Structures are given as structure tokens and as C-alpha cells.
Amino acid sequence: MPHLVSIDNVDMRYGGAGGTLAVSGLSLKVGKGEFAAVVGPSGCGKSTLMKLVTGLHIPQSGVVVVAGKQVTQPVSIVGMAFQNPTMLPWRTTLDNILLPLEIVDKHRRRLRAHRREYVEKAEHLLETVGLKGFGSKFPWQLSGGMQQRANLCRALIHEPELLMLDEPFGALDAFTREELWCVIRDLHAAQGVTIILVTHDLREATFLADRIFVMSARPGRVLKEHVVPFARPRALDVMYEKGFNDMVQELHGEIASARVAA
Amino acid sequence: MSTVAENTAVSAAPPKPLMARINWVKLAPWLYTIALFVLWELLVIVLQTSPTVLPAPSRVFQAVAQYWSPIWKNSLQTLYTTTLGFAIAVAAGLALGILVGWSKAIYAGLYPLMVGFNAIPKVALVPILVIWYGIGTIPAVLTAFLISFFPIVVNVATGLATIEPETEDVLRALGAKKLDILLKVGIPRSMPYFFGSLKVAITLAFVGSVVSETVASNYGLGNMMSSAQSQFNVPLVFAGLLALAVEGIAMYALMAWIERRMTGWAHRSSMSH
Ligand SMILES: Nc1ncnc2c1ncn2[C@@H]1O[C@H](COP(=O)(O)OP(=O)(O)O)[C@@H](O)[C@H]1O
Ligand SMILES: [Mg+2]
């Protein structure tokens, strides 16, 4: 399987020579179409990893390769979503979702002439995440879960090959979170997009991912890589199986000892 | 239980008593203003103050009627210098605010200069302006401008400087240039700060123009009041103050209205928290 993302022995230090070494000797590979999850103790460099892959930060040493090209500047084949939905409050939900099209070179030139087509696409995405008819609402008229659904639409509107999710469900209640797991699961199945999900929720990682990377405490590197064996499509019931709980427990143990080691 | 419910349902039908039908919150500003004038009038009667020290409101309104024509003309002059100075401040403040918010280096370089400049009492600049432009309209306009543009700059720059880093990351990852982020996020985001600062700025602009008219002009309310004062025409001084207050309230209300119209979203979204 060709790798869409490959990180090789990367060091990233913030704030010059004396600054914080966030990750060190970090290596991981994610295949095309795969769903990868990254878990680890807080502050271990998970968000840093996201920024390295998207080209928001360039590492001091080591190489990051995305889609066969070394990353030296932001790569526009990615969509991103964070814990904080970062919708712009002066735009309607629909206009928020269309925002990436006003930025990405390929689309911004076509947007004016083909607006209808793009609006249809956005509305289709809204329907997929269960927000049909909410496009004309402003983000502050939506609940937290609905905002996060819209946020996913925005991350996907320009048809990215890679979707980066940084603790996107962290601020939601348990039921909403499970609903959104299913939304993400179905989006992954339907769109064939590669997903890297950073999370501190081990059940979330185990339920969604094909492959889980466990990171060490700062400076972060990959301690262990797990392949998640459960067949797809997965129903929420899978979480009551013994194998599932064993895996969550194993991950938990690994992170606990990584924290102690720090 | 049911009789109580019936009773309230019935009593809702006939017209409510007068006191309950009045919207007290809407009426309050007028009532308080009237109360102020009544208290003032009573105070003057009780203390028997001379009109050359503190004229009663009735005496002031009499002066308004008596000197209506000069008050009207000078009010228009002051309104003109103030709004012109304010308009320049809005344009310059917006431009400088965007410039300062654009780059950390420009911000670092200009900020101490602006704070220092803002600390100078603007009345001290009027003599310099008079040397350059002579007395009259231009120093008044420029003083109004100088005193009112600082809050606009600071507010616009604040709006730009407080963009959430995640929003910036999402856009930069898509290949957004700095200008894209400024146009799509920075400027719309700083608009509530900008429109909010207009209320402060217009009030300050009045201070600037009147100060300048008082010391260096032959026109305007400031000049009218200072010449009335030199003739011991204290009721006319107070009439001038009244005219200024009316202009100030009107312009403030206009700015508040514009703010609500332009940035209603900011009062409902998380930005206002
Ligand atoms: N912009 C930055 N400047 C300086 N230090 C940073 C910056 N971003 C993150 N760090 C530091 O790098 C380390 C890893 O951060 P991060 O990648 O955000 O961790 P995580 O997402 O796993 O909680 C932390 O110690 C954090 O304080
Ligand atoms: Mg993080």
C-alpha cells in the first residue's frame, strides 16, 4: 500500500535553540485511505504532529512527506478540524463551509462562475452529517455538536485527500460524541479519505481507527503501533465486546506508563 | 386551583391599569432628565443662587430662546468641525489600525509612539496648530481628529491581533496568504471593535473641537461660551453647554445605532462573552 503520509525521524523545537523540544525522533507512516489515530499523554506533541503534516510547521530535522512530496510549505490537500469549531460568526453556516473554496487556488478561480454547483455540494455534505436545512443558520444559532458537524463539512468541502482531526469531539457530551463518531465513520467509508485523528479518548480511537499510534511523553515519539482488528462497518455495539475493552485497557496501560516515565 | 387559573385568565382580558401599561424602561431616560432639571430648579430656588453663578434651568431655557439664532449657527459650526475631524479619524484610525494589526514589527514600533502621543493633552497642541493654520475651523477639526483617532486605532488593532490561532491554522493549511486572512477573518472580526470605538471617539471629538474653539476661534459653541463668559452672561454659557449635550447625545445615539446595525452578530455570538 502506498503511504500518503510518512514522517521520518523528525525533531521539532519551538522558539529557537533553547526552546521546547516538542517531538524528537518521531516516525510514522499512514497508508492511503487508512484511518489512523494518535493517542498520548497531554502535551506530548500530538497537535505539533498535526501541524508538521499540514506544513504549518517545518521540522528542524527529519523529513515529512505527504502524497509523495516533501512538506516545505502548507499542503492544500488537507482539511483540518479542531476541538474548537472556529466557525466565523458573521457568516452563515453555508458560507462558513464554502470558505475553503475561497482560499484553495484550484477552486477560488471557479467559485464565482460555478457557485451553484459548490452550494449543492455543501448542502449535500450538510445532509450527510445530519444538518439538512441548517445552512442558512448562523453558527451561534447551532448547538456545539451541530457546529462540530458543520466544521467537518468545512474540512471536507474542497475534497481533501487527507483529513486531520485534532480532538474534534473533546468538548461534546458523551451521546453527541458517539453520534459524531458514526458520522465520521460513515464519511470515511463513503469518501475514501485518509484520516488522522488525534484524541485522548481511547474508546474513540479504538472504535474509529484502523491503526493506533501511542506517543511517549514530551518530547514525543511513537512508542507503539497497534492494528485494530475489528471488521468494518463497525456498529457502536462493538464497544461492548471483550476484545474492544482489552484493547482500550492495553492502550490505557501504555499511556499511564509513558506518563510515569516522563 | 382551577378558580385561581380562571380568575387570572379573566383579569387579563380587560385593559390593564394605566401604571402597568407604561413601558417604564423606555420612559426612564426622559423621566430622569426631567427629574434632574426639576432638582436643579429647586436647588437654585432654595439656595437663592445668583444667575451669574448658577442660573436655574428655566433661566437657561429662556436664554436658549433669546439667543436662538447664534446658538443654532454656532451649534452647526461645532457639529461641522467635530464630524469632519471625526470622519478623518475614522479613515486614518481604520487604516493605521489595520497597518498596526498587520505586522508584529509595525505594532512593536508604533505602539510606544502612539501611547506617548496619546498621553499629550491635546489642548497643548492647539497653539501649535494655530501657528500653522491660524485660528478658526482648521485647528478645531484637527484637534477633534487628533483626540478621537487613538481609540479607533487601538480597537481595530486589537480585533486583528486576537484572531484565534486555530482559525488562522485552518486557513493557512489551505494555502491562505496573509492578505487572505486579513480580508476573510481579520477585518470582519475587528468590525465590532471598530464600531464600538466610534461611540468613544465621537464623544472625544466634541471635546477636541470645543477646546480648540474656546481658545482659538471666532466661531463655534466653544467660542460662543467663552465670549458669553467674558460678558458674565452665565445663562448663555449654560445654554451652550445644553446645546453641546444635545449634539453629543444625538451623535452617540447615531453611533450606537450604526454599531447595532453593522455588527448584530457580535452581540449574539461567543465573541461578546
Ligand atoms: N507555538 C508554540 N510555542 C512554544 N511551545 C509550544 C507551541 N506549541 C506547543 N508548544 C509546546 O510543545 C509541547 C507539545 O505541544 P502540543 O503538540 O500542543 O501537545 P498536545 O497536543 O499533545 O497536547 C507542549 O509542551 C507545548 O507547551
Ligand atoms: Mg493538542
Side-chain angles (χ1 to χ4, degrees):
Chain A
M1 183 158 51
H3 291 125
L4 185 66
V5 177
S6 145
I7 300 176
D8 197 19
N9 204 18
V10 159
D11 288 9
M12 170 75 208
R13 191 187 284 279
Y14 285 107
T20 317
L21 185 60
V23 300
S24 177
L26 178 70
S27 300
L28 63 82
K29 288 182 173 25
V30 177
K32 205 166 166 44
E34 212 171 20
F35 197 136
V38 179
V39 298
S42 140
C44 72
K46 301 185 295 292
S47 298
T48 303
L49 179 142
M50 304 296 262
K51 288 175 187 168
L52 288 167
V53 173
T54 48
L56 290 172
H57 292 321
I58 308 302
Q60 280 84 20
S61 75
V63 229
V64 179
V65 177
V66 173
K69 275 209 282 286
Q70 184 174 346
V71 175
T72 52
Q73 59 176 47
V75 276
S76 62
I77 62 156
V78 291
M80 292 179 100
F82 294 95
Q83 173 170 343
N84 169 1
T86 66
M87 295 264 131
L88 305 178
W90 55 89
R91 284 173 168 242
T92 62
T93 303
L94 186 74
D95 285 337
N96 264 292
I97 294 172
L98 294 176
L99 179 64
L101 304 174
E102 297 169 23
I103 305 288
V104 175
D105 251 343
K106 188 172 69 166
H107 297 290
R108 77 193 292 174
R109 275 182 245 121
R110 296 184 73 232
L111 182 61
R112 200 177 288 258
H114 299 78
R115 199 179 151 84
R116 259 190 103 90
E117 166 195 328
Y118 285 115
V119 167
E120 262 167 37
K121 198 159 120 193
E123 273 166 357
H124 177 72
L125 271 173
L126 277 170
E127 195 177 343
T128 318
V129 302
L131 279 185
K132 189 176 159 73
F134 282 91
S136 58
K137 291 263 190 293
F138 284 93
W140 35 268
Q141 296 174 312
L142 305 183
S143 69
M146 289 158 101
Q147 285 191 37
Q148 200 52 274
R149 287 164 198 254
N151 201 21
L152 289 175
C153 295
R154 184 179 64 182
L156 288 167
I157 187 75
H158 60 296
E159 295 180 351
E161 285 179 54
L162 178 62
L163 182 60
M164 308 289 288
L165 305 173
D166 192 348
E167 308 199 357
F169 313 126
L172 305 175
D173 67 89
F175 289 107
T176 312
R177 206 180 307 158
E178 288 186 2
E179 267 170 42
L180 281 172
W181 291 353
C182 297
V183 168
I184 277 286
R185 172 198 65 192
D186 298 340
L187 282 172
H188 176 243
Q191 318 236 342
V193 61
T194 308
I195 301 181
I196 300 181
L197 166 75
V198 162
T199 179
H200 55 247
D201 185 334
L202 303 177
R203 282 153 40 88
E204 177 173 304
T206 313
F207 176 67
L208 286 171
D210 300 312
R211 191 182 295 276
I212 301 177
F213 298 95
V214 180
M215 280 179 75
S216 71
R218 189 170 63 85
R221 67 196 158 76
V222 173
L223 279 183
K224 194 135 193 244
E225 188 177 327
H226 295 264
V227 174
V228 184
F230 313 114
R232 289 184 185 278
R234 293 174 195 161
L236 285 170
D237 293 346
V238 77
M239 288 190 283
Y240 302 108
E241 285 175 21
K242 180 163 188 318
F244 189 95
N245 282 314
D246 289 347
M247 179 141 204
V248 170
Q249 225 158 47
E250 193 184 342
L251 289 168
H252 192 273
E254 282 166 18
I255 291 174
S257 52
R259 287 183 56 178
V260 171
Chain B
M1 280 307 285
S2 67
T3 51
V4 173
E6 260 164 46
N7 279 343
T8 53
V10 169
S11 70
K16 284 191 259 174
L18 184 67
M19 294 300 277
R21 266 185 298 159
I22 293 170
N23 183 345
W24 290 104
V25 175
K26 267 231 168 100
L27 218 55
W30 302 103
L31 293 179
Y32 277 66
T33 310
I34 292 167
L36 176 72
F37 282 124
V38 169
L39 272 179
W40 177 2
E41 185 84 40
L42 288 176
L43 199 72
V44 170
I45 293 171
V46 170
L47 299 180
Q48 294 185 322
T49 52
S50 140
T52 51
V53 178
L54 180 68
S58 53
R59 185 72 191 78
V60 174
F61 286 119
Q62 198 186 321
V64 170
Q66 186 182 348
Y67 300 103
W68 178 252
S69 157
I71 290 174
W72 175 248
K73 255 188 268 166
N74 287 311
S75 294
L76 285 185
Q77 168 70 15
T78 297
L79 190 62
Y80 165 67
T81 54
T82 306
T83 41
L84 190 58
F86 173 72
I88 301 171
V90 168
L94 201 53
L96 192 63
I98 290 173
L99 195 69
V100 168
W102 170 261
S103 135
K104 288 221 163 61
I106 297 176
Y107 181 87
L110 279 184
Y111 201 77
L113 288 182
M114 289 197 306
V115 171
F117 178 77
N118 194 46
I120 299 172
K122 300 302 171 294
V123 64
L125 294 178
V126 176
I128 300 172
L129 295 174
V130 170
I131 291 172
W132 290 348
Y133 300 104
I135 65 166
T137 303
I138 297 179
V141 170
L142 288 180
T143 314
F145 156 64
L146 289 172
I147 202 169
S148 64
F149 101 120
F150 188 74
I152 301 178
V153 174
V154 171
N155 271 273
V156 172
T158 305
L160 291 176
T162 52
I163 297 176
E164 294 84 355
E166 283 101 343
T167 310
E168 224 176 316
D169 282 349
V170 167
L171 295 181
R172 280 208 303 133
L174 293 167
K177 302 281 172 293
K178 215 171 164 179
L179 184 64
D180 291 320
I181 294 175
L182 181 75
L183 293 177
K184 304 278 180 206
V185 184
I187 290 180
R189 203 196 126 77
S190 63
M191 284 302 106
Y193 296 86
F194 167 68
F195 285 112
S197 73
L198 296 188
K199 290 186 293 193
V200 179
I202 189 69
T203 322
L204 287 173
F206 273 108
V207 174
S209 60
V210 172
V211 158
S212 178
E213 284 169 359
T214 305
V215 298
S217 181
N218 296 324
Y219 312 100
L221 286 173
N223 171 255
M224 187 192 82
M225 288 189 293
S226 71
S227 31
Q229 178 231 14
S230 62
Q231 295 155 15
F232 293 101
N233 190 348
V234 180
L236 181 57
V237 175
F238 275 84
L241 289 177
L242 201 62
L244 258 181
V246 169
E247 285 191 355
I249 291 172
M251 291 306 280
Y252 184 94
L254 180 65
M255 293 309 137
W257 180 78
I258 292 175
E259 183 191 9
R260 264 201 319 277
R261 280 298 301 270
M262 303 303 285
T263 57
W265 58 265
H267 298 281
R268 317 197 140 234
S269 72
S270 56
M271 260 184 76
S272 61
H273 288 260

